[in-house]
Amino acid sequence: MDLSVGENTYRRIRHGIVFGELRPGEKLRLDRLRQHYQTSVSTLRELLSRLSAEGLVHAEGQRGFEVAPVSAKDLREVADMRQFIECHALDQSFASGDLEWEGRVVAAHHKLQRIEQRLMAGETAESSVWKRYDWEFHHALVSACGSAELLEIHANIYDRYLRYQMVVGIFRGEIAAKEHRTLLDCALERDAGEARRVLAVHIQACVDAIIRATRCPDHR
């Protein structure tokens, strides 16, 4: 297949799933997708299989594909994986980070802080921009871990976690902003232990808020 066209289509579908444009459980009908994305059915099958391997799409055998459904059980599992991976990456990054890394962390936090201030003041902001800045900050924190594979794994699990946030549109306001500020301070002080503790609270509080805000089915 044409790699450039295929990769572009893959990114568009993936973005649609992560940011809630394609809703959980929605049928991904190949004829409709072919017309919308202007690509072949064979290319779509390949891309949807790729997304299935990432946990964002479910293959239904002869019945086709659907956007992966959501549940409290899955959310907890994804959150646990994110915490495990991100805490390990934080340890490595805090130990190896140099002045350039510190600059990336400070710059990423500055953008996130500004958009959080706007949201807390009641201003509207594109959710995709807000969450991109959130991602850039968390990515900056772990960016000096020294492992491209670890960063890729972290990015993939972060997107699965992000999908739940986007389905609900949850923003925890000043509490979350303070947690981000504490994570910045921990990075500059190289306090990985405190950063792990704050991150665990940060993730669990968001999980609890998502479950409270939605009728996300819980099949423990």
Side-chain angles (χ1 to χ4, degrees):
M1 77 180 182
D2 185 325
L3 291 177
S4 60
V5 172
E7 187 64 21
N8 180 61
T9 303
Y10 161 78
R11 292 180 181 183
R12 289 174 64 194
I13 296 174
R14 195 179 194 282
H15 182 278
I17 293 172
V18 170
F19 283 90
E21 296 160 12
L22 296 169
R23 305 295 293 177
E26 182 176 337
K27 301 294 183 184
L28 298 170
R29 303 192 185 283
L30 294 176
D31 285 344
R32 181 171 58 82
L33 293 177
R34 178 179 60 80
Q35 295 176 3
H36 182 74
Y37 294 106
Q38 294 295 297
T39 191
S40 68
V41 168
S42 61
T43 295
L44 286 168
R45 286 188 183 278
E46 183 176 341
L47 299 180
L48 293 175
S49 294
R50 181 178 170 186
L51 290 165
S52 178
E54 295 178 20
L56 295 172
V57 166
H58 277 187
E60 300 184 291
Q62 298 300 316
R63 293 183 296 173
F65 299 88
E66 69 174 17
V67 177
V70 296
S71 70
K73 178 178 182 294
D74 181 65
L75 170 59
R76 291 191 182 96
E77 290 177 352
V78 168
D80 286 347
M81 285 189 288
R82 179 192 165 188
Q83 182 178 332
F84 176 79
I85 292 164
E86 196 164 326
C87 282
H88 175 65
L90 280 174
D91 283 343
Q92 303 301 313
S93 193
F94 281 26
S96 303
D98 57 11
L99 190 59
E100 293 295 323
W101 169 74
E102 287 188 7
R104 292 196 301 272
V105 173
V106 170
H109 180 265
H110 174 72
K111 291 192 293 183
L112 176 60
Q113 182 182 47
R114 291 299 294 270
I115 201 165
E116 285 177 332
Q117 289 171 342
R118 287 172 52 192
L119 289 169
M120 287 186 287
E123 297 181 33
T124 58
E126 286 289 335
S127 58
S128 60
V129 175
W130 159 46
K131 294 314 298 181
R132 183 176 81 243
Y133 288 165
D134 184 83
W135 153 249
E136 287 178 1
F137 175 62
H138 283 279
H139 175 71
L141 287 171
V142 301
S143 63
C145 70
S147 171
E149 185 171 359
L150 179 57
L151 290 175
E152 183 178 355
I153 294 170
H154 174 254
N156 286 336
I157 197 64
Y158 185 94
D159 277 353
R160 289 179 61 188
Y161 178 87
L162 171 59
R163 185 169 77 107
Y164 279 90
Q165 291 181 301
M166 298 310 299
V167 166
V168 178
I170 198 78
F171 174 58
R172 294 189 297 114
E174 186 176 355
I175 294 174
K178 286 182 177 179
E179 289 164 354
H180 285 142
R181 176 69 208 192
T182 303
L183 286 171
L184 170 65
D185 292 341
C186 289
L188 298 179
E189 295 167 8
R190 300 298 200 277
D191 190 345
E194 178 65 5
R196 290 195 303 271
R197 186 195 68 78
V198 173
L199 182 65
V201 171
H202 185 68
I203 291 173
Q204 186 57 54
C206 189
V207 168
D208 292 342
I210 291 170
I211 292 174
R212 284 196 304 269
T214 183
R215 295 178 179 180
C216 196
D218 193 353
H219 305 297
R220 299 193 184 197

